[in-house]
Amino acid sequence: MKIKLLLSAIALLLTHNMRSQGMPVYDNTNFVSLVKTLVESAKQTSQLLKTAEFLKQQKENLEKVNNVVRQMNAVREIGRNNQRLIRVMQNDLRDILNSPYIKPDEMTRISDSFNAIVQNSLETMDFINQILSSDYLKMSDAERAGILKQKEEESKEMVSSIGIRTKRYKDIISFRKMQDKINNRDTKY
C-alpha cells in the first residue's frame, strides 16, 4: 500500500513539472527499479541495526566475562600468596623458633607478628568469600573485580612482609651464630 502511494506521489511530481506538448512519456521500468532499490536498502538498514544491537549485546557479555576472569585471577593469586604464607609458616618459622640463637622473649614477639599476618590472611579470605558468594551490597562485576584486585595487592604486600621478616630473623640467627663462634673459638695456637 505504501509503495503504491509513494509511486503515485512520485508520478504526480514528475507529471506536474513536465510541460510538453501532447501526452507525457513516462518510463515505468526506472521507477520500479528505484522503488525496488529503496525497499532493498530499507531491508539492509534494518539488518544492519539488528547486527549493531547484537554486537552491542556481545560486547556487554564480553565485558562481563572479562570481569569474571579478572576476579578469578585475583582470587587465584591470593590463594597462591596464602600457600606461600603456609610454606613459610611450616618451614622457615619452625627453623627460626627452633634456633638456639633466638631468646624466649623474642619467640613470643616472632610468633605474635606471624600470627597477626596469618589472622589478616584469614580475614581477607572470609571477606573474599562474602564478596563472591553474595551480591555484597549489589556490586557490579567491575566493582567486585576492583575490590578483589585491591585484596590481591594486599596479599602481595603480606608475602613481601613475611619474606622481609623471615630474612631479618634468619640474619639475626646468622649473626648470633657467628658471634657465638667468635666468642667460643679456641684461642690457644
Side-chain angles (χ1 to χ4, degrees):
M1 178 69 179
K2 289 181 183 180
I3 295 174
K4 289 182 182 181
L5 184 60
L6 182 63
L7 290 174
S8 299
I10 292 175
L12 275 174
L13 287 174
L14 290 176
T15 56
H16 183 312
N17 290 335
M18 294 181 162
R19 297 206 172 138
S20 61
Q21 292 179 332
M23 191 66 127
V25 177
Y26 175 68
D27 187 8
N28 192 23
T29 57
N30 286 340
F31 183 72
V32 170
S33 183
L34 174 67
V35 170
K36 286 181 181 179
T37 304
L38 288 174
V39 169
E40 189 61 34
S41 176
K43 287 179 184 178
Q44 289 175 355
T45 302
S46 173
Q47 189 62 34
L48 282 174
L49 290 174
K50 288 178 185 177
T51 301
E53 184 61 33
F54 173 77
L55 291 174
K56 180 181 175 186
Q57 186 66 33
Q58 295 311 310
K59 179 185 174 218
E60 290 171 1
N61 290 339
L62 189 59
E63 288 172 355
K64 288 178 185 177
V65 169
N66 284 340
N67 286 332
V68 170
V69 169
R70 279 190 217 116
Q71 290 175 21
M72 287 176 22
N73 288 338
V75 169
R76 183 181 321 131
E77 189 60 32
I78 291 169
R80 287 178 185 158
N81 290 338
N82 285 335
Q83 287 175 345
R84 290 181 192 119
L85 173 65
I86 290 169
R87 280 195 302 271
V88 167
M89 295 292 287
Q90 288 175 340
N91 300 324
D92 297 336
L93 182 60
R94 185 180 314 138
D95 292 343
I96 291 169
L97 293 176
N98 288 336
S99 173
Y101 300 103
I102 296 294
K103 298 173 186 165
D105 62 320
E106 291 175 324
M107 286 184 172
T108 304
R109 282 196 319 254
I110 292 169
S111 294
D112 289 346
S113 69
F114 278 89
N115 283 336
I117 292 172
V118 169
Q119 185 61 35
N120 185 28
S121 176
L122 291 173
E123 289 171 4
T124 298
M125 291 306 291
D126 286 342
F127 182 72
I128 290 170
N129 190 28
Q130 288 176 358
I131 287 175
L132 294 177
S133 65
S134 67
D135 288 340
Y136 199 75
L137 303 177
K138 302 292 182 187
M139 283 183 168
S140 70
D141 285 339
E143 292 169 332
R144 192 175 290 118
I147 288 176
L148 289 174
K149 192 67 175 169
Q150 176 187 358
K151 291 297 180 181
E152 178 186 358
E153 292 301 319
E154 290 174 11
S155 177
K156 286 178 183 177
E157 290 173 13
M158 173 202 63
V159 168
S160 175
S161 172
I162 209 151
I164 290 169
R165 289 177 191 209
T166 303
K167 183 180 180 333
R168 181 178 44 191
Y169 292 127
K170 285 183 176 184
D171 288 346
I172 289 170
I173 291 170
S174 178
F175 175 76
R176 289 180 181 168
K177 189 176 185 179
M178 181 182 65
Q179 191 177 30
D180 184 46
K181 285 182 181 181
I182 291 172
N183 289 340
N184 295 323
R185 70 176 179 231
D186 188 18
T187 56
K188 298 176 189 171
Y189 294 103

PDB file of all heavy atoms in Angstrom, residues 48-77:
ATOM      1  N   LEU A  48      21.256  -4.169   9.368  1.00  0.00           N
ATOM      2  CA  LEU A  48      22.420  -3.535   9.992  1.00  0.00           C
ATOM      3  C   LEU A  48      22.106  -3.098  11.426  1.00  0.00           C
ATOM      4  O   LEU A  48      22.940  -3.232  12.326  1.00  0.00           O
ATOM      5  CB  LEU A  48      22.893  -2.332   9.170  1.00  0.00           C
ATOM      6  CG  LEU A  48      23.696  -2.649   7.913  1.00  0.00           C
ATOM      7  CD1 LEU A  48      23.966  -1.378   7.129  1.00  0.00           C
ATOM      8  CD2 LEU A  48      25.004  -3.319   8.280  1.00  0.00           C
ATOM      9  N   LEU A  49      20.902  -2.580  11.645  1.00  0.00           N
ATOM     10  CA  LEU A  49      20.509  -2.187  13.002  1.00  0.00           C
ATOM     11  C   LEU A  49      20.435  -3.398  13.927  1.00  0.00           C
ATOM     12  O   LEU A  49      20.863  -3.339  15.084  1.00  0.00           O
ATOM     13  CB  LEU A  49      19.173  -1.446  12.976  1.00  0.00           C
ATOM     14  CG  LEU A  49      19.208  -0.039  12.357  1.00  0.00           C
ATOM     15  CD1 LEU A  49      17.802   0.521  12.246  1.00  0.00           C
ATOM     16  CD2 LEU A  49      20.095   0.879  13.176  1.00  0.00           C
ATOM     17  N   LYS A  50      19.908  -4.499  13.409  1.00  0.00           N
ATOM     18  CA  LYS A  50      19.861  -5.726  14.202  1.00  0.00           C
ATOM     19  C   LYS A  50      21.269  -6.220  14.515  1.00  0.00           C
ATOM     20  O   LYS A  50      21.554  -6.645  15.634  1.00  0.00           O
ATOM     21  CB  LYS A  50      19.076  -6.813  13.457  1.00  0.00           C
ATOM     22  CG  LYS A  50      17.587  -6.571  13.413  1.00  0.00           C
ATOM     23  CD  LYS A  50      16.891  -7.671  12.623  1.00  0.00           C
ATOM     24  CE  LYS A  50      15.408  -7.393  12.463  1.00  0.00           C
ATOM     25  NZ  LYS A  50      14.742  -8.407  11.636  1.00  0.00           N
ATOM     26  N   THR A  51      22.153  -6.165  13.532  1.00  0.00           N
ATOM     27  CA  THR A  51      23.538  -6.592  13.728  1.00  0.00           C
ATOM     28  C   THR A  51      24.234  -5.697  14.747  1.00  0.00           C
ATOM     29  O   THR A  51      24.969  -6.176  15.617  1.00  0.00           O
ATOM     30  CB  THR A  51      24.304  -6.563  12.389  1.00  0.00           C
ATOM     31  OG1 THR A  51      23.642  -7.422  11.465  1.00  0.00           O
ATOM     32  CG2 THR A  51      25.734  -7.024  12.557  1.00  0.00           C
ATOM     33  N   ALA A  52      24.015  -4.396  14.670  1.00  0.00           N
ATOM     34  CA  ALA A  52      24.621  -3.464  15.624  1.00  0.00           C
ATOM     35  C   ALA A  52      24.136  -3.755  17.039  1.00  0.00           C
ATOM     36  O   ALA A  52      24.928  -3.740  17.990  1.00  0.00           O
ATOM     37  CB  ALA A  52      24.304  -2.026  15.230  1.00  0.00           C
ATOM     38  N   GLU A  53      22.855  -4.034  17.201  1.00  0.00           N
ATOM     39  CA  GLU A  53      22.314  -4.354  18.525  1.00  0.00           C
ATOM     40  C   GLU A  53      22.900  -5.664  19.044  1.00  0.00           C
ATOM     41  O   GLU A  53      23.251  -5.781  20.221  1.00  0.00           O
ATOM     42  CB  GLU A  53      20.781  -4.448  18.457  1.00  0.00           C
ATOM     43  CG  GLU A  53      20.111  -4.674  19.781  1.00  0.00           C
ATOM     44  CD  GLU A  53      20.358  -3.562  20.784  1.00  0.00           C
ATOM     45  OE1 GLU A  53      20.488  -2.385  20.388  1.00  0.00           O
ATOM     46  OE2 GLU A  53      20.442  -3.879  21.991  1.00  0.00           O
ATOM     47  N   PHE A  54      23.029  -6.648  18.141  1.00  0.00           N
ATOM     48  CA  PHE A  54      23.635  -7.931  18.523  1.00  0.00           C
ATOM     49  C   PHE A  54      25.079  -7.729  18.968  1.00  0.00           C
ATOM     50  O   PHE A  54      25.508  -8.273  19.991  1.00  0.00           O
ATOM     51  CB  PHE A  54      23.561  -8.914  17.343  1.00  0.00           C
ATOM     52  CG  PHE A  54      24.293 -10.196  17.581  1.00  0.00           C
ATOM     53  CD1 PHE A  54      23.736 -11.175  18.386  1.00  0.00           C
ATOM     54  CD2 PHE A  54      25.538 -10.422  17.008  1.00  0.00           C
ATOM     55  CE1 PHE A  54      24.409 -12.370  18.617  1.00  0.00           C
ATOM     56  CE2 PHE A  54      26.213 -11.600  17.230  1.00  0.00           C
ATOM     57  CZ  PHE A  54      25.646 -12.584  18.037  1.00  0.00           C
ATOM     58  N   LEU A  55      25.852  -6.947  18.222  1.00  0.00           N
ATOM     59  CA  LEU A  55      27.251  -6.692  18.572  1.00  0.00           C
ATOM     60  C   LEU A  55      27.364  -5.937  19.902  1.00  0.00           C
ATOM     61  O   LEU A  55      28.264  -6.210  20.700  1.00  0.00           O
ATOM     62  CB  LEU A  55      27.952  -5.925  17.453  1.00  0.00           C
ATOM     63  CG  LEU A  55      28.178  -6.714  16.162  1.00  0.00           C
ATOM     64  CD1 LEU A  55      28.754  -5.814  15.086  1.00  0.00           C
ATOM     65  CD2 LEU A  55      29.082  -7.912  16.421  1.00  0.00           C
ATOM     66  N   LYS A  56      26.460  -5.027  20.134  1.00  0.00           N
ATOM     67  CA  LYS A  56      26.456  -4.287  21.405  1.00  0.00           C
ATOM     68  C   LYS A  56      26.215  -5.259  22.557  1.00  0.00           C
ATOM     69  O   LYS A  56      26.889  -5.197  23.584  1.00  0.00           O
ATOM     70  CB  LYS A  56      25.373  -3.205  21.378  1.00  0.00           C
ATOM     71  CG  LYS A  56      25.295  -2.386  22.634  1.00  0.00           C
ATOM     72  CD  LYS A  56      24.183  -1.350  22.550  1.00  0.00           C
ATOM     73  CE  LYS A  56      24.025  -0.613  23.866  1.00  0.00           C
ATOM     74  NZ  LYS A  56      22.873   0.277  23.851  1.00  0.00           N
ATOM     75  N   GLN A  57      25.273  -6.166  22.394  1.00  0.00           N
ATOM     76  CA  GLN A  57      24.988  -7.162  23.430  1.00  0.00           C
ATOM     77  C   GLN A  57      26.185  -8.074  23.656  1.00  0.00           C
ATOM     78  O   GLN A  57      26.531  -8.384  24.794  1.00  0.00           O
ATOM     79  CB  GLN A  57      23.754  -7.987  23.021  1.00  0.00           C
ATOM     80  CG  GLN A  57      23.291  -8.960  24.088  1.00  0.00           C
ATOM     81  CD  GLN A  57      22.764  -8.258  25.317  1.00  0.00           C
ATOM     82  OE1 GLN A  57      22.183  -7.199  25.226  1.00  0.00           O
ATOM     83  NE2 GLN A  57      22.986  -8.845  26.469  1.00  0.00           N
ATOM     84  N   GLN A  58      26.853  -8.471  22.560  1.00  0.00           N
ATOM     85  CA  GLN A  58      28.024  -9.332  22.692  1.00  0.00           C
ATOM     86  C   GLN A  58      29.171  -8.608  23.395  1.00  0.00           C
ATOM     87  O   GLN A  58      29.918  -9.211  24.165  1.00  0.00           O
ATOM     88  CB  GLN A  58      28.467  -9.853  21.320  1.00  0.00           C
ATOM     89  CG  GLN A  58      27.457 -10.761  20.656  1.00  0.00           C
ATOM     90  CD  GLN A  58      26.944 -11.848  21.579  1.00  0.00           C
ATOM     91  OE1 GLN A  58      27.711 -12.549  22.213  1.00  0.00           O
ATOM     92  NE2 GLN A  58      25.627 -11.973  21.682  1.00  0.00           N
ATOM     93  N   LYS A  59      29.306  -7.319  23.138  1.00  0.00           N
ATOM     94  CA  LYS A  59      30.336  -6.527  23.817  1.00  0.00           C
ATOM     95  C   LYS A  59      30.071  -6.504  25.314  1.00  0.00           C
ATOM     96  O   LYS A  59      30.991  -6.676  26.120  1.00  0.00           O
ATOM     97  CB  LYS A  59      30.360  -5.103  23.258  1.00  0.00           C
ATOM     98  CG  LYS A  59      31.384  -4.209  23.919  1.00  0.00           C
ATOM     99  CD  LYS A  59      31.282  -2.786  23.429  1.00  0.00           C
ATOM    100  CE  LYS A  59      32.231  -1.922  24.225  1.00  0.00           C
ATOM    101  NZ  LYS A  59      31.724  -0.631  24.521  1.00  0.00           N
ATOM    102  N   GLU A  60      28.820  -6.301  25.711  1.00  0.00           N
ATOM    103  CA  GLU A  60      28.461  -6.306  27.125  1.00  0.00           C
ATOM    104  C   GLU A  60      28.748  -7.667  27.745  1.00  0.00           C
ATOM    105  O   GLU A  60      29.266  -7.753  28.860  1.00  0.00           O
ATOM    106  CB  GLU A  60      26.993  -5.931  27.295  1.00  0.00           C
ATOM    107  CG  GLU A  60      26.687  -4.478  26.982  1.00  0.00           C
ATOM    108  CD  GLU A  60      25.191  -4.169  26.955  1.00  0.00           C
ATOM    109  OE1 GLU A  60      24.369  -5.084  27.202  1.00  0.00           O
ATOM    110  OE2 GLU A  60      24.852  -3.011  26.653  1.00  0.00           O
ATOM    111  N   ASN A  61      28.425  -8.741  27.019  1.00  0.00           N
ATOM    112  CA  ASN A  61      28.709 -10.088  27.518  1.00  0.00           C
ATOM    113  C   ASN A  61      30.207 -10.307  27.682  1.00  0.00           C
ATOM    114  O   ASN A  61      30.655 -10.899  28.664  1.00  0.00           O
ATOM    115  CB  ASN A  61      28.121 -11.149  26.587  1.00  0.00           C
ATOM    116  CG  ASN A  61      26.613 -11.180  26.641  1.00  0.00           C
ATOM    117  OD1 ASN A  61      25.990 -10.716  27.590  1.00  0.00           O
ATOM    118  ND2 ASN A  61      26.006 -11.722  25.601  1.00  0.00           N
ATOM    119  N   LEU A  62      30.980  -9.826  26.725  1.00  0.00           N
ATOM    120  CA  LEU A  62      32.435  -9.961  26.779  1.00  0.00           C
ATOM    121  C   LEU A  62      33.005  -9.198  27.974  1.00  0.00           C
ATOM    122  O   LEU A  62      33.898  -9.687  28.664  1.00  0.00           O
ATOM    123  CB  LEU A  62      33.053  -9.453  25.472  1.00  0.00           C
ATOM    124  CG  LEU A  62      34.532  -9.711  25.265  1.00  0.00           C
ATOM    125  CD1 LEU A  62      34.828 -11.204  25.299  1.00  0.00           C
ATOM    126  CD2 LEU A  62      34.996  -9.120  23.955  1.00  0.00           C
ATOM    127  N   GLU A  63      32.472  -8.012  28.248  1.00  0.00           N
ATOM    128  CA  GLU A  63      32.919  -7.240  29.411  1.00  0.00           C
ATOM    129  C   GLU A  63      32.600  -7.984  30.701  1.00  0.00           C
ATOM    130  O   GLU A  63      33.408  -7.996  31.632  1.00  0.00           O
ATOM    131  CB  GLU A  63      32.275  -5.856  29.409  1.00  0.00           C
ATOM    132  CG  GLU A  63      32.827  -4.932  28.342  1.00  0.00           C
ATOM    133  CD  GLU A  63      32.052  -3.626  28.214  1.00  0.00           C
ATOM    134  OE1 GLU A  63      31.012  -3.466  28.890  1.00  0.00           O
ATOM    135  OE2 GLU A  63      32.503  -2.770  27.432  1.00  0.00           O
ATOM    136  N   LYS A  64      31.440  -8.626  30.763  1.00  0.00           N
ATOM    137  CA  LYS A  64      31.083  -9.406  31.953  1.00  0.00           C
ATOM    138  C   LYS A  64      32.057 -10.569  32.136  1.00  0.00           C
ATOM    139  O   LYS A  64      32.523 -10.829  33.243  1.00  0.00           O
ATOM    140  CB  LYS A  64      29.658  -9.943  31.837  1.00  0.00           C
ATOM    141  CG  LYS A  64      28.585  -8.887  31.995  1.00  0.00           C
ATOM    142  CD  LYS A  64      27.204  -9.493  31.826  1.00  0.00           C
ATOM    143  CE  LYS A  64      26.121  -8.429  31.857  1.00  0.00           C
ATOM    144  NZ  LYS A  64      24.786  -8.991  31.624  1.00  0.00           N
ATOM    145  N   VAL A  65      32.362 -11.252  31.039  1.00  0.00           N
ATOM    146  CA  VAL A  65      33.293 -12.378  31.108  1.00  0.00           C
ATOM    147  C   VAL A  65      34.681 -11.885  31.531  1.00  0.00           C
ATOM    148  O   VAL A  65      35.336 -12.513  32.367  1.00  0.00           O
ATOM    149  CB  VAL A  65      33.350 -13.123  29.753  1.00  0.00           C
ATOM    150  CG1 VAL A  65      34.499 -14.109  29.706  1.00  0.00           C
ATOM    151  CG2 VAL A  65      32.034 -13.834  29.494  1.00  0.00           C
ATOM    152  N   ASN A  66      35.113 -10.752  30.987  1.00  0.00           N
ATOM    153  CA  ASN A  66      36.415 -10.204  31.370  1.00  0.00           C
ATOM    154  C   ASN A  66      36.461  -9.888  32.854  1.00  0.00           C
ATOM    155  O   ASN A  66      37.483 -10.137  33.512  1.00  0.00           O
ATOM    156  CB  ASN A  66      36.736  -8.944  30.557  1.00  0.00           C
ATOM    157  CG  ASN A  66      37.169  -9.265  29.145  1.00  0.00           C
ATOM    158  OD1 ASN A  66      37.590 -10.376  28.854  1.00  0.00           O
ATOM    159  ND2 ASN A  66      37.059  -8.295  28.269  1.00  0.00           N
ATOM    160  N   ASN A  67      35.386  -9.338  33.395  1.00  0.00           N
ATOM    161  CA  ASN A  67      35.348  -9.037  34.830  1.00  0.00           C
ATOM    162  C   ASN A  67      35.416 -10.314  35.661  1.00  0.00           C
ATOM    163  O   ASN A  67      36.106 -10.359  36.674  1.00  0.00           O
ATOM    164  CB  ASN A  67      34.098  -8.233  35.178  1.00  0.00           C
ATOM    165  CG  ASN A  67      34.194  -6.801  34.715  1.00  0.00           C
ATOM    166  OD1 ASN A  67      35.276  -6.239  34.610  1.00  0.00           O
ATOM    167  ND2 ASN A  67      33.057  -6.192  34.440  1.00  0.00           N
ATOM    168  N   VAL A  68      34.722 -11.339  35.215  1.00  0.00           N
ATOM    169  CA  VAL A  68      34.761 -12.612  35.940  1.00  0.00           C
ATOM    170  C   VAL A  68      36.163 -13.207  35.876  1.00  0.00           C
ATOM    171  O   VAL A  68      36.679 -13.725  36.873  1.00  0.00           O
ATOM    172  CB  VAL A  68      33.701 -13.597  35.380  1.00  0.00           C
ATOM    173  CG1 VAL A  68      33.894 -14.991  35.937  1.00  0.00           C
ATOM    174  CG2 VAL A  68      32.306 -13.091  35.685  1.00  0.00           C
ATOM    175  N   VAL A  69      36.806 -13.118  34.713  1.00  0.00           N
ATOM    176  CA  VAL A  69      38.175 -13.626  34.582  1.00  0.00           C
ATOM    177  C   VAL A  69      39.123 -12.859  35.499  1.00  0.00           C
ATOM    178  O   VAL A  69      39.978 -13.449  36.165  1.00  0.00           O
ATOM    179  CB  VAL A  69      38.644 -13.562  33.106  1.00  0.00           C
ATOM    180  CG1 VAL A  69      40.133 -13.819  32.982  1.00  0.00           C
ATOM    181  CG2 VAL A  69      37.867 -14.567  32.271  1.00  0.00           C
ATOM    182  N   ARG A  70      38.963 -11.532  35.561  1.00  0.00           N
ATOM    183  CA  ARG A  70      39.792 -10.725  36.475  1.00  0.00           C
ATOM    184  C   ARG A  70      39.573 -11.161  37.919  1.00  0.00           C
ATOM    185  O   ARG A  70      40.526 -11.262  38.695  1.00  0.00           O
ATOM    186  CB  ARG A  70      39.461  -9.241  36.317  1.00  0.00           C
ATOM    187  CG  ARG A  70      40.136  -8.612  35.141  1.00  0.00           C
ATOM    188  CD  ARG A  70      39.964  -7.087  35.179  1.00  0.00           C
ATOM    189  NE  ARG A  70      39.787  -6.637  33.824  1.00  0.00           N
ATOM    190  CZ  ARG A  70      38.709  -6.063  33.328  1.00  0.00           C
ATOM    191  NH1 ARG A  70      37.685  -5.795  34.096  1.00  0.00           N
ATOM    192  NH2 ARG A  70      38.649  -5.708  32.069  1.00  0.00           N
ATOM    193  N   GLN A  71      38.318 -11.412  38.274  1.00  0.00           N
ATOM    194  CA  GLN A  71      38.017 -11.861  39.630  1.00  0.00           C
ATOM    195  C   GLN A  71      38.698 -13.196  39.914  1.00  0.00           C
ATOM    196  O   GLN A  71      39.306 -13.382  40.968  1.00  0.00           O
ATOM    197  CB  GLN A  71      36.509 -12.004  39.825  1.00  0.00           C
ATOM    198  CG  GLN A  71      35.750 -10.700  39.846  1.00  0.00           C
ATOM    199  CD  GLN A  71      34.252 -10.917  39.926  1.00  0.00           C
ATOM    200  OE1 GLN A  71      33.778 -11.960  40.345  1.00  0.00           O
ATOM    201  NE2 GLN A  71      33.495  -9.918  39.497  1.00  0.00           N
ATOM    202  N   MET A  72      38.601 -14.113  38.965  1.00  0.00           N
ATOM    203  CA  MET A  72      39.199 -15.433  39.157  1.00  0.00           C
ATOM    204  C   MET A  72      40.712 -15.322  39.277  1.00  0.00           C
ATOM    205  O   MET A  72      41.322 -15.987  40.122  1.00  0.00           O
ATOM    206  CB  MET A  72      38.812 -16.364  37.996  1.00  0.00           C
ATOM    207  CG  MET A  72      37.379 -16.805  38.058  1.00  0.00           C
ATOM    208  SD  MET A  72      36.781 -17.815  36.681  1.00  0.00           S
ATOM    209  CE  MET A  72      38.184 -18.528  35.947  1.00  0.00           C
ATOM    210  N   ASN A  73      41.330 -14.489  38.452  1.00  0.00           N
ATOM    211  CA  ASN A  73      42.785 -14.321  38.523  1.00  0.00           C
ATOM    212  C   ASN A  73      43.206 -13.722  39.854  1.00  0.00           C
ATOM    213  O   ASN A  73      44.209 -14.139  40.438  1.00  0.00           O
ATOM    214  CB  ASN A  73      43.287 -13.453  37.366  1.00  0.00           C
ATOM    215  CG  ASN A  73      43.242 -14.181  36.043  1.00  0.00           C
ATOM    216  OD1 ASN A  73      43.225 -15.400  35.991  1.00  0.00           O
ATOM    217  ND2 ASN A  73      43.215 -13.433  34.968  1.00  0.00           N
ATOM    218  N   ALA A  74      42.455 -12.755  40.345  1.00  0.00           N
ATOM    219  CA  ALA A  74      42.779 -12.142  41.637  1.00  0.00           C
ATOM    220  C   ALA A  74      42.645 -13.162  42.758  1.00  0.00           C
ATOM    221  O   ALA A  74      43.523 -13.257  43.628  1.00  0.00           O
ATOM    222  CB  ALA A  74      41.877 -10.934  41.889  1.00  0.00           C
ATOM    223  N   VAL A  75      41.576 -13.942  42.741  1.00  0.00           N
ATOM    224  CA  VAL A  75      41.373 -14.957  43.781  1.00  0.00           C
ATOM    225  C   VAL A  75      42.467 -16.019  43.698  1.00  0.00           C
ATOM    226  O   VAL A  75      43.002 -16.463  44.722  1.00  0.00           O
ATOM    227  CB  VAL A  75      39.965 -15.590  43.664  1.00  0.00           C
ATOM    228  CG1 VAL A  75      39.826 -16.812  44.552  1.00  0.00           C
ATOM    229  CG2 VAL A  75      38.904 -14.558  44.000  1.00  0.00           C
ATOM    230  N   ARG A  76      42.851 -16.414  42.486  1.00  0.00           N
ATOM    231  CA  ARG A  76      43.916 -17.406  42.306  1.00  0.00           C
ATOM    232  C   ARG A  76      45.232 -16.877  42.879  1.00  0.00           C
ATOM    233  O   ARG A  76      45.948 -17.591  43.580  1.00  0.00           O
ATOM    234  CB  ARG A  76      44.100 -17.745  40.829  1.00  0.00           C
ATOM    235  CG  ARG A  76      45.156 -18.832  40.622  1.00  0.00           C
ATOM    236  CD  ARG A  76      45.407 -19.205  39.164  1.00  0.00           C
ATOM    237  NE  ARG A  76      44.217 -19.252  38.372  1.00  0.00           N
ATOM    238  CZ  ARG A  76      44.079 -18.653  37.188  1.00  0.00           C
ATOM    239  NH1 ARG A  76      45.070 -17.984  36.664  1.00  0.00           N
ATOM    240  NH2 ARG A  76      42.963 -18.733  36.509  1.00  0.00           N
ATOM    241  N   GLU A  77      45.556 -15.619  42.605  1.00  0.00           N
ATOM    242  CA  GLU A  77      46.796 -15.037  43.107  1.00  0.00           C
ATOM    243  C   GLU A  77      46.776 -14.927  44.626  1.00  0.00           C
ATOM    244  O   GLU A  77      47.790 -15.181  45.289  1.00  0.00           O
ATOM    245  CB  GLU A  77      47.027 -13.659  42.476  1.00  0.00           C
ATOM    246  CG  GLU A  77      48.380 -13.070  42.766  1.00  0.00           C
ATOM    247  CD  GLU A  77      49.547 -13.914  42.275  1.00  0.00           C
ATOM    248  OE1 GLU A  77      49.417 -14.599  41.236  1.00  0.00           O
ATOM    249  OE2 GLU A  77      50.590 -13.907  42.938  1.00  0.00           O
TER     250      GLU A  77
END
